[in-house]
Amino acid sequence: MHLAELELDLDVFSGPFDLLLTLVLREEVDLRELALAEVVLAYLDHLDARGDLDLEVTTEFIVLVAALLELKSRLLLPGEELEELLELEPGEAAEELLARMLEARRYRAAAAYLADVLADQPAVRFREAPLPAHLRRSSLEELEAAAWDPATLARALGGLLALPPKLDFSHISVMRVSVAERVAHLRALLRSAVALSFDDAVRGADRMTVAVTLWALLELYKRGEASWEQIEPFGEITVRRVPGARPGGPAGTP
Amino acid sequence: MSELARIIEALLFLASDPLAVTELCEVTGESAAAVGAALEELAEAFAPGERGLVLRELAGGFTLASDPIAEAAARALLAKPRLATLTPAQLETLAIVAYLAPVSRPEIARIRGVNADSPVASLLDRGLIEESGRSQFGAVVYRTTTLFLKVFGLQGAGELPDVAQWDPTPEEQRALRERLLAAGEARAGIASE
Amino acid sequence: MSELARIIEALLFLASDPLAVTELCEVTGESAAAVGAALEELAEAFAPGERGLVLRELAGGFTLASDPIAEAAARALLAKPRLATLTPAQLETLAIVAYLAPVSRPEIARIRGVNADSPVASLLDRGLIEESGRSQFGAVVYRTTTLFLKVFGLQGAGELPDVAQWDPTPEEQRALRERLLAAGEARAGIASE
């Protein structure tokens, strides 16, 4: 089968997968409106119906869906965070994306060109037979001594001893907050109150701190020191001290 | 057939890579003119339709190959297709190596946007690319091989058309840039809401 | 030349082993008589002194070989370039075997950060390294040969030059093997990103 055969019937689009891709790339279908899970489910149904698995096509599908997912996550990501990540202004980001797209596109076209060249070659074959024995090793054996400099060996080994440069993470914002710190913070709050609101616990904190605090809460839950409840999705999280629990050692060393 | 043409025929038969005129001069001790004349003689002897072999000019030299007339029997004898098909990922990787050599695996992966381990391994395995040293960061870098030139019927990697010819027109690029910019501003707009 | 003779010429050119008449009948779909006649035709075309190749009948069947007239040129051609060139991958592999022997293929691959099958095979083929037993884990281990000592002008394996001059971190105290493995793994870490 070919991916083009995959027919989709989604909320925002109905037709073949190929066309969907084209429309997404032309921004005629808004990727933000498109439920990619539905596309995956449709593909799985399609596979079920066919009963066989073509690895080539499946791989292509996975690659395309992964690309769509990445594109979509970029679209959904608030601009502020994207910039923090790329440290690029929208203009620069557009240039960078454009350069990447052009580069990828260029070599995809070159690949198509090579495929055509290959297809146009006359049906000739080249000889692959090994050299006759009397010509094979004579070269080295008839050699006068010391044709090669042993220093080339030492130099090659020296090259292998070189450690690659340390990766430079300076362009990525340094994590300023640790799980251990946030565990201590939650414990301190829970010592003075039986229950508290998660929002209060992270009031005024940046996104990273909120995420790490959630992690710290999971750690406390795992140790049986705290429980939490959330009545509805995106609702308030209430954190409760577990009666009788004693705060243990530092986080990360259960 | 002249003695020099006979010697060159034998050399073309033995060597796995195409032989350049300069190489032929060197090992036979003959002038370029004499080698040229002998090659003319061979080209005539191997003119299309004459024999089971053809003389091909490839990768900056000359080589012998079987005539397409023998393809069906050769396939039956050797029990393998002339060329195993290349997957799109392998072709893309091959194109990147052909144009950008020396190029490392992480660079290939960056351009393709996906891991390149598997296509690189199969291209190495088929002898279409080879290691050519290490980058300044210690990563192994690759280039295409003479087999690549032979299989694709090329004189050299320099014969490949300019890769920029497949770029979108300036108008298309401008439109693309504007769309990307608009998307970026839309995101910025969402963030400031 | 008849079409069948042309096809058989191509098959003899491609095959690495002599081809029996029965095999030729099978892959061409022709009778033994027709194949016999085509071989006669070829024997005439390749009569001694005619071409650079000769048709030989051996125990197993028919084969093409280079005419002895080309022997000197063939040696000059095939001996020299093979001698002058160790590929970067082969040189690295040879250095690892020379300094660390006995060493296994997986260890070589870990140090280089990429698969070592192809360079190990070529070095074995060229007689520069050889198997010297098995490691405690059952992997074949390699060492350099006397031919290796000869071409590098060394009296014994202990005479290898000191690496210190090319050592990027000479202050390191750990054993060479350990340091090479650590560097190899660090490189693999970068490459797999």
Side-chain angles (χ1 to χ4, degrees), chain B residues 1 3 6 9-11 13 26-27 46 49-53 64 67 69-70 73-74 77 105 131-132 134 138, chain C residues 1 3 6 9-11 13 27 46 49-53 64 67 69-70 74 77 80 88-89 92 112 114 187:
Chain B
M1 194 180 271
E3 188 175 311
R6 289 173 59 200
E9 184 184 38
L11 295 178
F13 172 80
E26 209 173 295
V27 299
F46 290 109
E50 286 294 316
R51 326 253 334 177
L53 308 178
L64 288 174
D67 189 284
I69 198 180
L77 176 72
R105 215 169 345 180
E131 288 184 27
S132 67
R134 289 186 183 271
Chain C
M1 195 180 275
E3 188 173 314
R6 288 174 61 200
E9 183 185 30
L11 296 178
F13 167 78
V27 299
F46 288 109
E50 286 294 316
R51 326 255 330 182
L53 306 178
L64 283 177
D67 190 290
I69 198 180
L77 175 74
K80 215 177 32 166
E92 274 181 18
R112 297 197 56 235
V114 291
R187 273 192 296 273

Side-chain angles (χ1 to χ4, degrees), chain B residues 150-174:
Chain B
K150 278 164 74 178
V151 165
F152 284 82
L154 299 168
Q155 283 294 334
E159 204 191 301
L160 290 168
D162 183 1
V163 77
Q165 76 173 80
W166 294 298
D167 285 352
T169 63
E171 292 75 46
E172 285 173 317
Q173 288 192 41
R174 190 156 44 239

Side-chain angles (χ1 to χ4, degrees), chain A residues 56 74 77 79 82 91 95 98 102-103 106-107 109 113-114 117-118 121-128, chain B residues 13 56 65-66 68 71 75 80 82-83 87 100 110 150-153 161 163 166-168 173 177 181 187:
Chain A
E56 280 290 338
R74 281 176 186 240
L77 218 53
L82 186 73
E95 282 305 323
L98 182 67
L102 289 182
E103 199 173 31
R106 199 177 275 166
Y107 293 104
Y113 169 79
L114 283 181
V117 169
L118 194 57
Q121 289 302 301
V124 303
R125 288 185 189 238
F126 302 99
R127 195 173 136 85
E128 288 171 19
Chain B
F13 172 80
R56 304 258 290 150
S66 64
E71 177 52 23
R75 182 181 290 239
K80 63 171 184 186
R82 203 161 55 82
L83 295 169
T87 66
L100 299 184
R110 191 188 60 74
K150 278 164 74 178
V151 165
F152 284 82
V163 77
W166 294 298
D167 285 352
Q173 288 192 41
R177 181 179 288 114
L181 204 54
R187 278 196 305 272

Side-chain angles (χ1 to χ4, degrees), chain A residues 10-26:
Chain A
L10 314 171
D11 287 348
V12 294
F13 171 79
S14 152
F17 183 69
D18 263 5
L19 179 59
L20 174 63
L21 273 184
T22 314
L23 293 178
V24 165
L25 291 176
R26 285 204 218 134

Side-chain angles (χ1 to χ4, degrees), chain A residues 171-243:
Chain A
H171 59 290
I172 296 173
S173 56
V174 182
M175 228 211 252
R176 285 162 295 238
V177 55
S178 72
V179 177
E181 266 171 54
R182 300 312 286 175
V183 163
H185 171 69
L186 286 178
R187 275 184 185 147
L189 291 176
L190 285 172
R191 266 197 288 276
S192 51
V194 178
L196 58 102
S197 140
F198 185 79
D199 283 352
D200 288 340
V202 294
R203 193 159 307 282
D206 61 36
R207 225 172 254 273
M208 179 64 86
T209 307
V210 174
V212 176
T213 309
L214 194 63
W215 202 345
L217 176 58
L218 292 174
E219 183 69 30
L220 289 179
Y221 173 73
K222 196 175 83 187
R223 291 159 180 248
E225 291 180 38
S227 64
W228 80 87
E229 61 181 7
Q230 186 178 29
I231 308 295
E232 53 176 358
F234 303 108
E236 184 155 318
I237 300 175
T238 307
V239 182
R240 289 180 199 286
R241 187 204 310 160
V242 173

Side-chain angles (χ1 to χ4, degrees), chain B:
Chain B
M1 194 180 271
S2 72
E3 188 175 311
L4 185 55
R6 289 173 59 200
I7 292 176
I8 292 176
E9 184 184 38
L11 295 178
L12 296 178
F13 172 80
L14 290 171
S16 51
D17 287 337
L19 298 175
V21 172
T22 51
E23 261 175 306
L24 290 170
C25 291
E26 209 173 295
V27 299
T28 57
E30 299 282 346
S31 70
V35 166
L39 283 168
E40 292 273 343
E41 224 180 308
L42 285 173
E44 214 166 290
F46 290 109
E50 286 294 316
R51 326 253 334 177
L53 308 178
V54 291
L55 183 68
R56 304 258 290 150
E57 195 175 352
L58 289 171
F62 292 85
T63 192
L64 288 174
S66 64
D67 189 284
I69 198 180
E71 177 52 23
R75 182 181 290 239
L77 176 72
L78 302 171
K80 63 171 184 186
R82 203 161 55 82
L83 295 169
T85 43
L86 292 168
T87 66
Q90 287 165 1
L91 274 168
E92 229 174 273
T93 304
L94 193 56
I96 293 170
V97 176
Y99 278 97
L100 299 184
V103 61
S104 72
R105 215 169 345 180
E107 281 176 282
I108 299 169
R110 191 188 60 74
I111 292 171
R112 294 193 53 232
V114 288
N115 185 302
D117 290 2
S118 151
V120 165
S122 32
L123 292 173
L124 279 170
D125 203 44
R126 289 174 179 209
L128 292 171
I129 64 172
E130 65 188 2
E131 288 184 27
S132 67
R134 289 186 183 271
S135 75
Q136 60 183 99
F137 304 114
V140 168
V141 290
Y142 300 94
R143 64 174 171 221
T144 51
T145 60
T146 308
L147 180 64
F148 163 76
L149 297 177
K150 278 164 74 178
V151 165
F152 284 82
L154 299 168
Q155 283 294 334
E159 204 191 301
L160 290 168
D162 183 1
V163 77
Q165 76 173 80
W166 294 298
D167 285 352
T169 63
E171 292 75 46
E172 285 173 317
Q173 288 192 41
R174 190 156 44 239
L176 211 52
R177 181 179 288 114
E178 272 159 24
R179 275 216 300 275
L180 286 167
L181 204 54
E185 276 157 6
R187 278 196 305 272
I190 292 172
S192 62
E193 263 171 37

